[in-house]
Amino acid sequence: MTEPAARPDEQPPAAGPGSVKLDVLFRDQHHALVRFFTRYRASSDDARDLAQEAFLRFTDADRRAPGTVARPEAFLRQIARNLLRNRARSAVRRHDKDHCQADKEELAAPDEIRRLEARDGLARLEAALHRLKPRTREIFLAHRLDGMSYAEIAEVTGMSIKGVEKQMSKAIAHIDRWVGRP
């Protein structure tokens, strides 16, 4: 059974003089490394990147001390395991940095005064809306709650856009007067 050919964007590392035949090692081990990384929950793109990183580190080590790697396949697998360990440690550090323990953090108690003020403000707004004429209230709610444009409201109500603008001005002025009261 032959290994699938490397993708065009995955060029084998060049072999240097006196070093391991990296092109042969790449051809024989690249697919196995990618499978190894995907087995440990790396996406296919990440797995290919990690395999490239493993070969890069292997090439760097072989370049620094040519001919000292007795078992290149085993050395490459160890590099792959180290990459996974480094990746896991990095993930733990990121998690620890972003994590805070609930028992060590001061939690703010609900602000009762703000809650009461908000409830009072909503009651005033509701009272102001009920004091509007039904058509003005309908136009105001269609624009502010339903997100309709003035043109859409004019089309639905049979009014002109200027008429809708006038009704909105009345509604806003009325609500400002009523909600602004203590």
Side-chain angles (χ1 to χ4, degrees):
M1 183 164 146
T2 61
E3 290 289 324
R7 291 184 13 194
D9 62 336
E10 296 171 349
Q11 297 300 319
S19 66
V20 176
K21 291 287 188 182
L22 292 175
D23 56 341
V24 174
L25 183 65
F26 184 87
R27 187 176 50 244
D28 292 345
Q29 296 296 316
H30 183 265
H31 186 66
L33 272 181
V34 171
R35 279 195 330 258
F36 172 76
F37 287 125
T38 54
R39 199 171 337 152
Y40 290 98
R41 295 193 175 97
S43 70
S44 61
D45 287 338
D46 284 344
R48 284 193 298 275
D49 288 345
L50 286 167
Q52 289 294 92
E53 178 68 22
F55 276 105
L56 181 69
R57 289 184 182 195
F58 180 90
T59 304
D60 189 43
D62 190 50
R63 189 177 319 128
R64 280 185 274 146
T68 59
V69 178
R71 295 180 17 215
E73 292 85 4
F75 187 58
L76 191 60
R77 283 193 301 273
Q78 185 59 46
I79 290 172
R81 285 190 291 274
N82 290 345
L83 282 171
L84 283 177
R85 281 189 199 107
N86 292 346
R87 189 177 191 204
R89 283 186 197 123
S90 176
V92 167
R93 278 194 302 271
R94 266 193 319 274
H95 178 267
D96 287 346
K97 182 183 74 147
D98 295 337
H99 181 72
C100 67
Q101 295 179 357
D103 58 342
K104 292 185 179 179
E105 291 293 322
E106 294 258 347
L107 299 177
D111 188 355
E112 194 64 27
I113 294 173
R114 279 195 176 144
R115 190 176 69 76
L116 289 172
E117 286 174 349
R119 189 175 67 186
D120 183 50
L122 285 174
R124 285 192 306 235
L125 176 62
E126 187 177 356
L129 285 173
H130 283 298
R131 292 187 188 281
L132 287 172
K133 293 181 181 176
R135 185 173 194 121
T136 306
R137 181 175 49 243
E138 177 187 333
I139 291 170
F140 178 80
L141 293 175
H143 180 66
R144 292 293 172 103
L145 290 182
D146 299 334
M148 294 175 71
S149 69
Y150 287 177
E152 291 170 331
I153 295 171
E155 186 178 316
V156 170
T157 60
M159 297 176 67
S160 68
I161 294 175
K162 281 286 190 191
V164 171
E165 289 173 356
K166 186 175 180 179
Q167 292 296 319
M168 281 297 295
S169 294
K170 283 182 181 179
I172 291 170
H174 177 78
I175 291 170
D176 280 346
R177 281 192 305 272
W178 275 92
V179 173
R181 290 184 181 175

Coordinates of all heavy atoms in Angstrom, one line a residue, residues 40-131:
Y40 N -5.9 13.2 18.2 CA -5.9 14.0 19.5 C -6.7 15.3 19.3 O -6.3 16.3 19.9 CB -4.5 14.2 20.0 CG -3.9 12.9 20.5 CD1 -3.1 12.1 19.7 CD2 -4.2 12.4 21.7 CE1 -2.6 10.9 20.1 CE2 -3.7 11.2 22.2 CZ -2.9 10.5 21.4 OH -2.4 9.3 21.8
R41 N -7.7 15.3 18.6 CA -8.7 16.3 18.4 C -8.2 17.6 17.8 O -8.7 18.7 18.1 CB -9.4 16.6 19.8 CG -10.2 15.5 20.3 CD -11.0 15.9 21.4 NE -11.9 14.8 21.9 CZ -11.6 14.0 22.9 NH1 -10.5 14.2 23.6 NH2 -12.4 13.1 23.2
A42 N -7.2 17.5 17.0 CA -6.8 18.7 16.2 C -7.6 18.7 14.9 O -7.9 17.7 14.3 CB -5.3 18.6 15.9
S43 N -8.0 19.9 14.5 CA -8.7 20.0 13.2 C -7.7 19.6 12.1 O -6.5 19.5 12.3 CB -9.2 21.4 13.0 OG -8.1 22.3 12.7
S44 N -8.2 19.3 10.9 CA -7.3 18.8 9.8 C -6.3 19.9 9.5 O -5.2 19.6 9.2 CB -8.2 18.4 8.6 OG -8.9 19.5 8.1
D45 N -6.7 21.1 9.5 CA -5.8 22.2 9.2 C -4.7 22.3 10.3 O -3.5 22.5 10.0 CB -6.5 23.6 9.0 CG -7.3 23.7 7.7 OD1 -6.9 22.9 6.8 OD2 -8.2 24.5 7.7
D46 N -5.2 22.2 11.6 CA -4.2 22.3 12.7 C -3.3 21.1 12.6 O -2.1 21.2 12.9 CB -4.9 22.3 14.0 CG -5.6 23.6 14.3 OD1 -5.2 24.6 13.7 OD2 -6.4 23.7 15.2
A47 N -3.8 19.9 12.3 CA -3.0 18.7 12.2 C -1.9 18.9 11.2 O -0.7 18.5 11.4 CB -3.8 17.5 11.9
R48 N -2.2 19.4 10.0 CA -1.2 19.6 9.0 C -0.2 20.7 9.4 O 1.0 20.5 9.2 CB -1.9 20.1 7.7 CG -2.6 18.9 6.9 CD -3.0 19.3 5.5 NE -3.9 20.3 5.4 CZ -5.3 20.2 5.5 NH1 -5.8 19.0 5.7 NH2 -6.1 21.2 5.4
D49 N -0.7 21.7 10.1 CA 0.3 22.7 10.6 C 1.2 22.1 11.7 O 2.4 22.4 11.7 CB -0.5 23.9 11.2 CG -1.2 24.8 10.2 OD1 -0.8 24.6 9.0 OD2 -2.0 25.6 10.6
L50 N 0.6 21.3 12.5 CA 1.5 20.7 13.6 C 2.5 19.7 12.9 O 3.6 19.6 13.4 CB 0.6 19.9 14.6 CG -0.2 20.8 15.6 CD1 -1.2 20.1 16.3 CD2 0.8 21.5 16.6
A51 N 2.1 19.0 11.9 CA 3.0 18.1 11.2 C 4.1 18.9 10.6 O 5.3 18.5 10.7 CB 2.2 17.3 10.2
Q52 N 3.8 20.0 10.0 CA 4.8 20.8 9.4 C 5.8 21.3 10.5 O 7.0 21.4 10.3 CB 4.2 22.0 8.7 CG 3.5 21.7 7.4 CD 4.5 21.1 6.3 OE1 4.7 19.9 6.2 NE2 5.0 22.0 5.5
E53 N 5.2 21.7 11.6 CA 6.0 22.2 12.7 C 7.0 21.1 13.2 O 8.1 21.4 13.5 CB 5.1 22.7 13.9 CG 5.9 23.2 15.1 CD 6.7 24.5 14.9 OE1 6.4 25.2 14.0 OE2 7.6 24.7 15.7
A54 N 6.4 19.9 13.3 CA 7.3 18.7 13.7 C 8.4 18.5 12.8 O 9.6 18.3 13.2 CB 6.4 17.5 13.8
F55 N 8.2 18.6 11.5 CA 9.3 18.4 10.5 C 10.2 19.6 10.6 O 11.4 19.4 10.4 CB 8.7 18.3 9.1 CG 8.3 16.9 8.8 CD1 7.0 16.5 8.7 CD2 9.3 15.9 8.5 CE1 6.6 15.2 8.5 CE2 8.9 14.6 8.2 CZ 7.6 14.2 8.2
L56 N 9.7 20.8 10.8 CA 10.6 22.0 10.9 C 11.5 21.8 12.1 O 12.8 22.0 12.0 CB 9.8 23.2 11.1 CG 10.5 24.5 11.2 CD1 11.2 24.9 9.9 CD2 9.6 25.7 11.6
R57 N 11.0 21.4 13.3 CA 11.8 21.1 14.4 C 12.8 20.0 14.2 O 14.0 20.1 14.7 CB 11.0 20.9 15.7 CG 10.2 22.1 16.1 CD 9.4 21.8 17.4 NE 8.7 23.1 17.7 CZ 8.2 23.3 18.9 NH1 8.3 22.3 19.8 NH2 7.5 24.4 19.2
F58 N 12.4 19.0 13.5 CA 13.3 17.9 13.2 C 14.4 18.4 12.3 O 15.6 18.1 12.6 CB 12.5 16.7 12.5 CG 13.4 15.6 12.1 CD1 13.6 14.5 13.0 CD2 14.1 15.5 10.9 CE1 14.4 13.4 12.7 CE2 14.9 14.4 10.6 CZ 15.0 13.4 11.5
T59 N 14.1 19.1 11.3 CA 15.1 19.7 10.4 C 16.1 20.6 11.2 O 17.3 20.5 10.9 CB 14.4 20.5 9.3 OG1 13.5 19.7 8.6 CG2 15.4 21.0 8.3
D60 N 15.6 21.4 12.1 CA 16.4 22.3 12.8 C 17.4 21.5 13.7 O 18.6 21.8 13.8 CB 15.6 23.2 13.7 CG 16.4 24.3 14.4 OD1 17.2 24.9 13.7 OD2 16.1 24.5 15.6
A61 N 16.9 20.4 14.4 CA 17.7 19.6 15.2 C 18.8 18.8 14.4 O 19.9 18.7 14.8 CB 16.9 18.6 16.0
D62 N 18.4 18.3 13.2 CA 19.3 17.6 12.3 C 20.4 18.6 11.8 O 21.5 18.2 11.5 CB 18.5 16.9 11.2 CG 19.4 16.0 10.4 OD1 20.1 15.2 11.0 OD2 19.4 16.1 9.2
R63 N 20.0 19.8 11.5 CA 20.9 20.8 11.0 C 22.0 21.2 12.1 O 23.1 21.4 11.7 CB 20.2 22.0 10.5 CG 21.1 23.0 9.8 CD 20.3 24.2 9.3 NE 19.0 23.9 8.7 CZ 17.9 24.6 9.1 NH1 18.0 25.5 10.0 NH2 16.8 24.2 8.6
R64 N 21.5 21.3 13.3 CA 22.5 21.6 14.4 C 23.5 20.5 14.7 O 24.6 20.8 15.0 CB 21.7 22.0 15.7 CG 21.2 23.4 15.6 CD 20.5 23.8 16.9 NE 19.2 23.3 16.8 CZ 18.4 22.9 17.8 NH1 18.9 22.8 19.0 NH2 17.2 22.5 17.7
A65 N 23.0 19.3 14.6 CA 23.9 18.1 14.9 C 23.7 17.1 13.8 O 23.0 16.1 14.1 CB 23.6 17.6 16.3
P66 N 24.2 17.2 12.6 CA 24.0 16.3 11.5 C 24.4 14.9 11.9 O 25.5 14.7 12.4 CB 24.8 16.8 10.3 CG 25.3 18.2 10.7 CD 25.1 18.3 12.2
G67 N 23.6 13.9 11.5 CA 24.0 12.5 11.6 C 23.8 11.9 13.0 O 24.2 10.8 13.3
T68 N 23.3 12.7 14.0 CA 23.2 12.2 15.4 C 21.9 11.5 15.7 O 21.8 10.9 16.7 CB 23.4 13.4 16.4 OG1 22.4 14.3 16.2 CG2 24.8 13.9 16.3
V69 N 21.0 11.7 14.8 CA 19.6 11.0 15.0 C 19.7 9.6 14.5 O 19.8 9.4 13.3 CB 18.5 11.8 14.3 CG1 17.2 11.2 14.5 CG2 18.5 13.3 14.8
A70 N 19.7 8.7 15.5 CA 19.8 7.3 15.1 C 18.5 6.7 14.5 O 18.5 5.9 13.6 CB 20.3 6.4 16.3
R71 N 17.4 7.1 15.1 CA 16.1 6.6 14.7 C 15.2 7.8 14.4 O 14.5 8.2 15.2 CB 15.5 5.7 15.8 CG 16.3 4.4 16.0 CD 15.8 3.5 17.1 NE 14.4 3.7 17.5 CZ 14.0 3.5 18.7 NH1 14.8 3.2 19.7 NH2 12.7 3.7 19.0
P72 N 15.3 8.2 13.1 CA 14.5 9.5 12.8 C 13.0 9.4 13.0 O 12.4 10.3 13.4 CB 14.8 9.7 11.3 CG 16.0 8.8 11.0 CD 16.0 7.7 12.0
E73 N 12.4 8.2 12.7 CA 11.0 8.1 12.9 C 10.6 8.2 14.3 O 9.6 8.9 14.7 CB 10.4 6.7 12.3 CG 10.5 6.6 10.9 CD 11.9 6.1 10.4 OE1 12.8 5.8 11.3 OE2 12.1 6.0 9.2
A74 N 11.3 7.6 15.2 CA 11.0 7.7 16.7 C 11.3 9.1 17.2 O 10.5 9.6 18.0 CB 11.9 6.7 17.5
F75 N 12.3 9.8 16.7 CA 12.6 11.1 17.1 C 11.5 12.1 16.6 O 11.0 13.0 17.4 CB 14.0 11.6 16.5 CG 14.4 12.9 17.0 CD1 14.6 13.2 18.3 CD2 14.7 13.9 16.1 CE1 15.1 14.4 18.8 CE2 15.2 15.2 16.5 CZ 15.4 15.4 17.8
L76 N 11.0 11.9 15.4 CA 9.9 12.7 14.9 C 8.6 12.5 15.7 O 7.9 13.4 16.0 CB 9.7 12.3 13.4 CG 8.8 13.2 12.6 CD1 9.3 14.6 12.6 CD2 8.6 12.7 11.2
R77 N 8.3 11.2 16.1 CA 7.1 11.0 16.9 C 7.3 11.6 18.3 O 6.3 12.1 18.8 CB 6.9 9.5 17.0 CG 6.3 8.8 15.8 CD 5.8 7.4 16.1 NE 6.8 6.5 16.5 CZ 7.6 5.8 15.7 NH1 7.5 5.9 14.4 NH2 8.6 5.0 16.2
Q78 N 8.5 11.6 18.8 CA 8.7 12.3 20.1 C 8.5 13.8 20.0 O 7.9 14.4 20.8 CB 10.1 12.0 20.7 CG 10.3 12.6 22.1 CD 9.3 12.0 23.1 OE1 9.1 10.8 23.1 NE2 8.8 12.9 23.9
I79 N 8.9 14.4 18.9 CA 8.7 15.8 18.6 C 7.2 16.1 18.6 O 6.7 17.0 19.1 CB 9.4 16.3 17.3 CG1 10.9 16.3 17.5 CG2 8.9 17.6 16.9 CD1 11.7 16.5 16.2
A80 N 6.4 15.2 17.9 CA 5.0 15.3 17.8 C 4.3 15.3 19.1 O 3.4 16.1 19.5 CB 4.4 14.2 16.8
R81 N 4.8 14.3 20.0 CA 4.2 14.2 21.3 C 4.5 15.5 22.1 O 3.6 16.0 22.9 CB 4.7 13.0 22.1 CG 4.1 11.7 21.6 CD 4.5 10.5 22.5 NE 5.9 10.2 22.4 CZ 6.4 9.3 21.5 NH1 5.5 8.8 20.6 NH2 7.6 9.0 21.4
N82 N 5.7 16.0 22.0 CA 6.1 17.2 22.7 C 5.2 18.4 22.2 O 4.8 19.3 23.0 CB 7.6 17.5 22.5 CG 8.4 16.6 23.3 OD1 8.0 15.8 24.1 ND2 9.7 16.5 22.9
L83 N 5.0 18.5 20.9 CA 4.1 19.6 20.4 C 2.7 19.5 21.0 O 2.1 20.5 21.4 CB 4.0 19.5 18.9 CG 5.2 20.0 18.1 CD1 5.0 19.7 16.6 CD2 5.3 21.5 18.3
L84 N 2.2 18.3 21.2 CA 0.8 18.1 21.8 C 0.9 18.6 23.2 O 0.0 19.2 23.7 CB 0.3 16.7 21.6 CG -0.2 16.3 20.3 CD1 -0.6 14.9 20.3 CD2 -1.4 17.2 19.9
R85 N 2.0 18.2 23.9 CA 2.1 18.6 25.4 C 2.2 20.1 25.5 O 1.5 20.7 26.4 CB 3.3 17.9 26.0 CG 3.1 16.5 26.3 CD 4.3 16.0 27.2 NE 4.3 14.5 27.1 CZ 5.1 13.8 26.4 NH1 6.1 14.3 25.7 NH2 5.0 12.5 26.4
N86 N 3.0 20.7 24.6 CA 3.1 22.2 24.7 C 1.8 22.8 24.4 O 1.4 23.8 25.0 CB 4.1 22.6 23.7 CG 5.5 22.2 24.0 OD1 5.8 21.8 25.2 ND2 6.4 22.3 23.1
R87 N 1.0 22.3 23.5 CA -0.3 22.8 23.1 C -1.2 22.7 24.3 O -2.0 23.6 24.6 CB -0.8 22.1 21.9 CG -2.0 22.7 21.3 CD -2.4 21.9 20.1 NE -3.4 22.6 19.3 CZ -4.2 22.0 18.5 NH1 -4.1 20.8 18.2 NH2 -5.1 22.7 17.9
A88 N -1.2 21.6 25.0 CA -2.1 21.4 26.1 C -1.7 22.3 27.3 O -2.6 22.9 27.9 CB -2.0 19.9 26.6
R89 N -0.4 22.4 27.5 CA 0.0 23.4 28.6 C -0.4 24.8 28.3 O -0.8 25.5 29.2 CB 1.5 23.3 28.7 CG 2.0 22.1 29.4 CD 3.5 22.1 29.7 NE 4.0 20.8 30.0 CZ 5.0 20.2 29.3 NH1 5.6 20.8 28.3 NH2 5.4 19.0 29.7
S90 N -0.3 25.2 27.0 CA -0.6 26.5 26.6 C -2.1 26.7 26.9 O -2.6 27.8 27.3 CB -0.3 26.7 25.2 OG -0.7 28.0 24.7
A91 N -2.9 25.7 26.5 CA -4.4 25.8 26.7 C -4.7 26.0 28.2 O -5.6 26.7 28.6 CB -5.1 24.6 26.1
V92 N -4.0 25.2 29.0 CA -4.3 25.3 30.5 C -3.9 26.7 31.0 O -4.6 27.2 31.8 CB -3.5 24.2 31.2 CG1 -3.4 24.4 32.7 CG2 -4.1 22.8 30.9
R93 N -2.7 27.2 30.6 CA -2.3 28.5 31.0 C -3.3 29.6 30.6 O -3.7 30.5 31.4 CB -1.0 28.9 30.5 CG 0.2 28.3 31.3 CD 1.5 28.9 30.9 NE 1.9 28.8 29.5 CZ 2.5 27.8 29.0 NH1 2.9 26.8 29.7 NH2 2.8 27.7 27.7
R94 N -3.8 29.5 29.3 CA -4.9 30.4 28.9 C -6.1 30.3 29.7 O -6.7 31.3 30.1 CB -5.2 30.2 27.4 CG -4.4 31.0 26.5 CD -5.0 30.9 25.1 NE -5.5 29.7 24.6 CZ -4.7 28.7 24.0 NH1 -3.5 28.9 23.8 NH2 -5.3 27.6 23.6
H95 N -6.5 29.1 30.0 CA -7.7 28.9 30.8 C -7.5 29.4 32.2 O -8.4 30.1 32.8 CB -8.1 27.4 30.9 CG -9.3 27.1 31.7 ND1 -9.2 26.8 33.1 CD2 -10.6 27.1 31.5 CE1 -10.3 26.6 33.6 NE2 -11.2 26.8 32.6
D96 N -6.4 29.1 32.9 CA -6.1 29.6 34.2 C -6.1 31.1 34.3 O -6.5 31.7 35.2 CB -4.8 29.0 34.7 CG -4.9 27.6 35.1 OD1 -6.1 27.1 35.2 OD2 -3.9 26.9 35.3
K97 N -5.5 31.7 33.2 CA -5.4 33.2 33.2 C -6.8 33.8 33.1 O -7.0 34.9 33.8 CB -4.5 33.6 32.0 CG -4.3 35.1 32.0 CD -3.5 35.5 30.7 CE -4.4 35.4 29.6 NZ -4.4 36.2 28.5
D98 N -7.7 33.2 32.4 CA -9.0 33.8 32.2 C -10.0 33.4 33.2 O -11.1 33.9 33.3 CB -9.5 33.4 30.8 CG -8.7 34.0 29.7 OD1 -8.0 35.1 29.9 OD2 -8.7 33.5 28.5
H99 N -9.7 32.4 34.0 CA -10.6 31.9 35.0 C -10.5 32.6 36.3 O -9.4 32.9 36.8 CB -10.3 30.4 35.2 CG -11.2 29.7 36.1 ND1 -12.5 29.4 35.8 CD2 -11.0 29.3 37.4 CE1 -13.1 28.8 36.8 NE2 -12.2 28.7 37.8
C100 N -11.6 32.8 36.9 CA -11.6 33.4 38.3 C -12.5 32.5 39.1 O -13.6 32.1 38.7 CB -12.1 34.8 38.3 SG -13.8 35.1 37.9
Q101 N -12.1 32.3 40.4 CA -12.9 31.5 41.3 C -14.0 32.3 41.9 O -13.7 33.4 42.4 CB -12.0 30.8 42.3 CG -11.0 29.9 41.7 CD -10.1 29.2 42.8 OE1 -10.2 29.6 43.9 NE2 -9.3 28.3 42.3
A102 N -15.2 31.8 41.9 CA -16.3 32.6 42.4 C -16.2 32.8 43.9 O -16.6 33.9 44.4 CB -17.6 31.8 42.1
D103 N -15.6 31.9 44.6 CA -15.5 32.1 46.1 C -14.5 33.2 46.5 O -14.5 33.7 47.6 CB -15.3 30.8 46.8 CG -14.0 30.2 46.4 OD1 -13.5 30.5 45.3 OD2 -13.5 29.3 47.1
K104 N -13.6 33.6 45.5 CA -12.6 34.6 45.8 C -13.0 35.9 45.3 O -12.3 36.9 45.5 CB -11.3 34.2 45.2 CG -10.7 32.9 45.9 CD -9.3 32.6 45.4 CE -8.8 31.4 46.1 NZ -7.4 31.1 45.7
E105 N -14.1 36.0 44.5 CA -14.5 37.3 43.9 C -15.6 37.9 44.7 O -16.5 37.2 45.2 CB -15.0 37.1 42.5 CG -13.8 36.7 41.5 CD -12.8 37.8 41.3 OE1 -13.3 39.0 41.3 OE2 -11.7 37.5 41.2
E106 N -15.6 39.2 45.0 CA -16.7 39.9 45.6 C -17.8 40.0 44.6 O -17.6 40.6 43.5 CB -16.2 41.2 46.1 CG -15.2 41.2 47.2 CD -15.8 41.5 48.5 OE1 -16.9 41.9 48.6 OE2 -15.1 41.2 49.5
L107 N -18.9 39.6 45.0 CA -20.1 39.7 44.1 C -20.9 40.9 44.6 O -21.2 40.9 45.8 CB -20.9 38.4 44.0 CG -20.2 37.2 43.5 CD1 -21.1 36.0 43.6 CD2 -19.7 37.4 42.1
A108 N -21.3 41.7 43.7 CA -22.1 42.9 44.1 C -23.6 42.5 44.4 O -24.1 41.7 43.7 CB -22.1 43.9 43.0
A109 N -24.1 43.0 45.5 CA -25.5 42.7 45.9 C -26.4 43.5 44.9 O -26.0 44.5 44.4 CB -25.7 43.1 47.3
P110 N -27.6 43.0 44.7 CA -28.5 43.8 43.8 C -28.7 45.1 44.4 O -28.9 45.2 45.6 CB -29.7 42.9 43.7 CG -29.5 41.8 44.7 CD -28.1 41.8 45.2
D111 N -28.7 46.1 43.6 CA -28.9 47.5 44.1 C -30.4 47.7 44.2 O -31.1 47.9 43.1 CB -28.3 48.5 43.2 CG -28.3 49.9 43.7 OD1 -28.9 50.1 44.8 OD2 -27.6 50.8 43.0
E112 N -31.0 47.7 45.4 CA -32.4 47.8 45.6 C -32.9 49.2 45.1 O -34.0 49.3 44.6 CB -32.7 47.5 47.1 CG -34.2 47.3 47.3 CD -34.7 46.0 46.7 OE1 -33.9 45.1 46.4 OE2 -35.9 46.0 46.4
I113 N -32.2 50.2 45.4 CA -32.6 51.5 45.0 C -32.7 51.7 43.5 O -33.7 52.2 43.0 CB -31.6 52.6 45.5 CG1 -31.7 52.6 47.1 CG2 -32.0 54.0 45.0 CD1 -30.7 53.5 47.7
R114 N -31.8 51.1 42.7 CA -31.8 51.2 41.3 C -33.0 50.4 40.8 O -33.7 50.8 39.8 CB -30.6 50.6 40.6 CG -29.5 51.7 40.6 CD -28.4 51.2 39.7 NE -27.4 52.2 39.6 CZ -26.1 52.0 39.5 NH1 -25.7 50.7 39.4 NH2 -25.2 53.0 39.4
R115 N -33.3 49.2 41.4 CA -34.4 48.4 41.0 C -35.7 49.2 41.2 O -36.6 49.2 40.3 CB -34.4 47.1 41.7 CG -35.4 46.1 41.2 CD -35.3 44.8 42.0 NE -35.7 44.8 43.3 CZ -37.0 44.8 43.7 NH1 -38.0 44.8 42.8 NH2 -37.3 44.9 45.0
L116 N -35.8 49.8 42.3 CA -37.1 50.6 42.6 C -37.2 51.8 41.6 O -38.3 52.1 41.1 CB -37.1 51.1 44.0 CG -37.3 50.0 45.1 CD1 -37.1 50.5 46.5 CD2 -38.6 49.4 44.9
E117 N -36.1 52.5 41.3 CA -36.1 53.6 40.4 C -36.5 53.1 39.0 O -37.3 53.8 38.3 CB -34.8 54.3 40.3 CG -34.5 55.1 41.6 CD -33.1 55.7 41.6 OE1 -32.2 55.3 40.7 OE2 -32.8 56.6 42.4
A118 N -36.0 52.0 38.6 CA -36.3 51.4 37.3 C -37.8 51.1 37.2 O -38.5 51.4 36.2 CB -35.4 50.2 37.0
R119 N -38.3 50.4 38.3 CA -39.7 50.1 38.3 C -40.6 51.3 38.2 O -41.6 51.4 37.5 CB -40.0 49.3 39.5 CG -41.4 48.7 39.5 CD -41.6 47.8 40.7 NE -41.6 48.5 41.9 CZ -41.7 48.0 43.1 NH1 -41.7 46.7 43.3 NH2 -41.7 48.8 44.2
D120 N -40.2 52.4 39.0 CA -40.9 53.6 39.0 C -40.9 54.3 37.6 O -41.9 54.8 37.1 CB -40.4 54.6 40.0 CG -41.1 55.9 40.1 OD1 -42.4 55.8 40.3 OD2 -40.5 56.9 40.1
G121 N -39.7 54.3 37.0 CA -39.6 54.8 35.6 C -40.5 54.1 34.6 O -41.1 54.7 33.7
L122 N -40.5 52.8 34.7 CA -41.4 52.0 33.8 C -42.9 52.3 34.0 O -43.7 52.4 33.1 CB -41.2 50.5 34.0 CG -39.9 50.0 33.3 CD1 -39.7 48.5 33.7 CD2 -39.9 50.2 31.8
A123 N -43.2 52.5 35.3 CA -44.6 52.9 35.6 C -45.0 54.2 35.0 O -46.1 54.4 34.5 CB -44.8 52.8 37.1
R124 N -44.1 55.2 35.1 CA -44.3 56.5 34.6 C -44.4 56.5 33.1 O -45.3 57.1 32.5 CB -43.2 57.5 35.0 CG -43.4 57.9 36.4 CD -42.5 59.1 36.7 NE -41.1 58.8 36.3 CZ -40.0 58.9 37.1 NH1 -40.2 59.3 38.4 NH2 -38.8 58.6 36.7
L125 N -43.6 55.7 32.4 CA -43.6 55.5 31.0 C -44.9 54.9 30.5 O -45.6 55.3 29.6 CB -42.5 54.7 30.5 CG -42.4 54.3 29.0 CD1 -42.3 55.6 28.2 CD2 -41.3 53.4 28.6
E126 N -45.4 53.9 31.3 CA -46.6 53.2 30.9 C -47.8 54.2 31.1 O -48.7 54.2 30.3 CB -46.8 52.0 31.8 CG -48.0 51.1 31.5 CD -48.1 49.9 32.3 OE1 -47.3 49.7 33.2 OE2 -49.1 49.2 32.2
A127 N -47.8 55.0 32.2 CA -48.8 56.0 32.4 C -48.8 57.0 31.3 O -49.9 57.4 30.8 CB -48.7 56.6 33.7
A128 N -47.6 57.4 30.8 CA -47.6 58.4 29.8 C -48.1 57.8 28.5 O -48.8 58.5 27.7 CB -46.1 58.9 29.6
L129 N -47.8 56.6 28.2 CA -48.3 55.9 27.0 C -49.8 55.8 27.0 O -50.4 56.0 25.9 CB -47.6 54.6 26.8 CG -46.2 54.5 26.3 CD1 -45.6 53.1 26.3 CD2 -46.0 55.1 24.9
H130 N -50.4 55.5 28.1 CA -51.8 55.4 28.2 C -52.5 56.7 28.1 O -53.7 56.8 27.7 CB -52.2 54.7 29.5 CG -52.0 53.2 29.5 ND1 -52.7 52.4 28.7 CD2 -51.2 52.4 30.3 CE1 -52.3 51.2 28.9 NE2 -51.4 51.2 29.8
R131 N -51.9 57.8 28.3 CA -52.4 59.2 28.2 C -52.4 59.7 26.8 O -53.0 60.7 26.5 CB -51.8 60.1 29.1 CG -52.0 59.8 30.6 CD -51.4 60.9 31.5 NE -51.5 60.6 32.9 CZ -52.6 60.7 33.6 NH1 -53.7 61.1 33.1 NH2 -52.5 60.4 34.9

